[in-house]
Amino acid sequence: MLIVSKFFHPSIGGIETVVSQHSQFLTRANYQVTIICHNHLFSLRTRFENQYGIHVIRCACWGKIFSQPVSPSLPLWLWIKIRKHNLVMLHLPNPIVTLFSLFLPRHIRIIVFWHSDIIRQKTLKYIVQPLQRILCRRANKILTTSWNLAQNSNVISSFTEKLSILPLSIPVFLEDRGNIQVVDRPPSLSEIPSRFGLFLGRLSYYKGIDVLINAISRLSESDKEFPFVIAGDGPLVDKIKSNLKACPHPSVTFISRVVDDTEKQWLLQNAAFFIFPSTEPNEAFGIIQLEAMREGIPVINTNLPTGVPSVSVHEDTGLTVPPRDPEALAQAISRLIQNPQERLRFGKKAKQRVKSYFDEERIRDLFLTEVKSTLEQSSD
């Protein structure tokens, strides 16, 4: 099976996480997997790798235009490799791959995994969307992470007859297996209080960090201060540092880097609640919500037209507020601060929801069933 993605591990991102997970599902089920992607770093040469039995062709990348990698070798390798496979999975959005895929031989079966519409690049969006619709008509199967995303998409909402929902997933550690590992506080986090509100993720424009800081300011003004930790790396690091310096918040600890696995686990296990204040539909799901919920942590998320509010459900596993609304976010935070029993109730439900709907074993079986049924479809 051939998988085509913009980037692949060790590049960090939501799509990369999904591609890595799917490729491992396939190799464990004895499928031969090849991944074609761009190099996430500047490179004049195409590199060939083998990661745990997965063949990776990391095409040379000469830079970016409109946030899209420029890689003259990628169409060439697609053309060489695609004829040797009877099934190709395309992770979209990816404009160059969308254009190329319109010329695939008719006998090749296609699965489109739809992560999101193009949001920010308006000009590119109107050029590429007609091509995406042509590709979706040609595809044998379309997968996406939630019905909410599917129904609100300008593209895949028209193809419900070939659409299936495949949520993201994580390994679920059940207490009765005896493999819950509670980690000790890492020395690097020695200054952090024992209970806090947590944001953890990439610091980019659609994550809503400015809304969160605004909400924290409102809590401070109303004498409802509570410790908060904001941790992550990304394009907004310097801006967040400047904002916190200009308007200090003693209650906020800012960790301006990617935390390691031990630090991440300790933060998730000791957070009073997790805050996921994303503001734009670029945020299609938010797998970090699942990681918090697995630890029994309630989540405050936003009512985006994507899978975000269907991961942690309002008044069941946490609270959902309108995006870009710092007052509503402050009220939700205040409610959880003042109601520890409600936090416990939400957290218990959150843990159970992950086990019931987002367990990696369950999603693996659904994914492999979709792959098998697509392979069994007759080709034109």
Side-chain angles (χ1 to χ4, degrees):
M1 180 172 175
L2 182 66
I3 299 176
V4 185
S5 175
K6 185 182 290 187
F7 300 116
F8 183 59
H9 179 80
S11 176
I12 298 173
I15 296 178
E16 292 86 338
T17 299
V18 175
V19 173
S20 179
Q21 190 178 64
H22 288 177
S23 58
Q24 291 176 51
F25 289 165
L26 290 163
T27 54
R28 290 170 189 164
N30 297 318
Y31 287 89
Q32 296 292 320
V33 179
T34 298
I35 295 174
I36 296 181
C37 62
H38 303 91
N39 198 320
H40 60 287
L41 302 174
F42 177 85
S43 175
L44 295 175
R45 296 176 53 195
T46 294
R47 302 183 183 277
F48 305 89
E49 304 168 7
N50 190 301
Q51 294 191 19
Y52 307 104
I54 302 165
H55 303 288
V56 182
I57 301 175
R58 209 178 294 275
C59 298
C61 182
W62 297 359
K64 293 182 180 180
I65 298 177
F66 297 115
S67 301
Q68 303 304 312
V70 177
S71 179
S73 64
L74 187 134
L76 173 63
W77 281 107
L78 278 174
W79 187 255
I80 292 171
K81 290 293 183 179
I82 215 156
R83 294 172 177 274
K84 299 180 180 180
H85 294 81
N86 55 359
L87 177 61
V88 57
M89 175 175 283
L90 307 174
H91 285 263
L92 302 184
N94 192 330
I96 297 300
V97 169
T98 298
L99 176 61
F100 177 86
S101 63
L102 301 180
F103 304 98
L104 293 180
R106 297 297 301 177
H107 73 275
I108 294 176
R109 298 170 182 83
I110 299 173
I111 297 176
V112 166
F113 199 103
W114 191 266
H115 292 270
S116 76
D117 290 19
I118 296 173
I119 306 296
R120 201 175 189 187
Q121 296 87 10
K122 302 296 185 183
T123 301
L124 183 65
K125 172 181 177 178
Y126 291 114
I127 294 171
V128 174
Q129 271 191 355
L131 304 179
Q132 291 174 325
R133 291 190 182 97
I134 294 171
L135 172 57
C136 286
R137 277 195 292 272
R138 163 74 172 83
N140 299 82
K141 174 69 70 175
I142 301 170
L143 302 177
T144 195
T145 54
S146 73
W147 279 115
N148 201 30
L149 190 155
Q151 292 165 355
N152 287 284
S153 168
N154 290 324
V155 179
I156 65 172
S157 57
S158 302
F159 299 96
T160 54
E161 75 285 352
K162 60 175 70 175
L163 181 63
S164 293
I165 304 304
L166 191 78
L168 306 190
S169 63
I170 58 174
V172 173
F173 304 108
L174 301 176
E175 287 94 334
D176 57 5
R177 292 181 187 170
N179 56 2
I180 291 284
Q181 181 182 5
V182 179
V183 299
D184 296 328
R185 181 196 292 263
S188 56
L189 304 180
S190 60
E191 301 299 319
I192 294 176
S194 58
R195 259 312 184 241
F196 46 86
L198 175 64
F199 170 90
L200 181 63
R202 181 167 169 76
L203 305 177
S204 54
Y205 79 96
Y206 60 88
K207 291 292 187 177
I209 309 302
D210 56 334
V211 180
L212 174 57
I213 293 174
N214 190 327
I216 293 171
S217 298
R218 292 167 187 254
L219 291 170
S220 300
E221 292 167 2
S222 61
D223 296 324
K224 294 178 181 176
E225 283 203 10
F226 190 81
F228 293 89
V229 174
I230 299 174
D233 194 8
L236 296 185
V237 164
D238 292 337
K239 182 178 180 180
I240 294 169
K241 285 181 178 178
S242 298
N243 289 347
L244 291 174
K245 185 177 181 180
C247 184
H249 290 285
S251 61
V252 176
T253 301
F254 182 36
I255 305 173
S256 56
R257 58 178 173 81
V258 177
V259 295
D260 64 31
D261 290 342
T262 301
E263 292 171 322
K264 179 180 180 180
Q265 192 167 349
W266 187 87
L267 288 168
L268 289 172
Q269 288 177 348
N270 290 277
F273 48 86
F274 188 83
I275 311 167
F276 197 71
S278 298
T279 57
E280 303 295 334
N282 304 58
E283 192 73 80
F285 191 88
I287 198 167
I288 187 66
Q289 294 189 92
L290 297 182
E291 295 181 80
M293 292 164 67
R294 180 176 61 189
E295 301 295 340
I297 305 302
V299 174
I300 301 173
N301 61 18
T302 51
N303 192 26
L304 290 170
T306 66
V308 168
S310 64
V311 178
S312 178
V313 179
H314 184 53
E315 297 288 359
D316 185 56
T317 61
L319 300 172
T320 300
V321 299
R324 298 176 293 279
D325 190 336
E327 180 59 32
L329 181 58
Q331 290 177 9
I333 292 172
S334 178
R335 176 175 161 183
L336 292 189
I337 290 173
Q338 297 180 65
N339 294 280
Q341 289 304 314
E342 188 168 56
R343 296 202 306 262
L344 289 173
R345 178 170 61 84
F346 284 156
K348 185 177 180 180
K349 288 284 196 72
K351 204 168 189 177
Q352 185 56 52
R353 181 169 175 77
V354 174
K355 293 177 184 177
S356 299
Y357 297 104
F358 304 107
D359 182 8
E360 188 176 86
E361 293 183 12
R362 175 178 181 271
I363 302 304
R364 178 200 61 201
D365 292 344
L366 292 175
F367 174 69
L368 293 175
T369 298
E370 295 291 353
V371 169
K372 183 179 178 181
S373 67
T374 305
L375 284 169
E376 290 173 351
Q377 292 182 24
S378 60
S379 56
D380 293 336

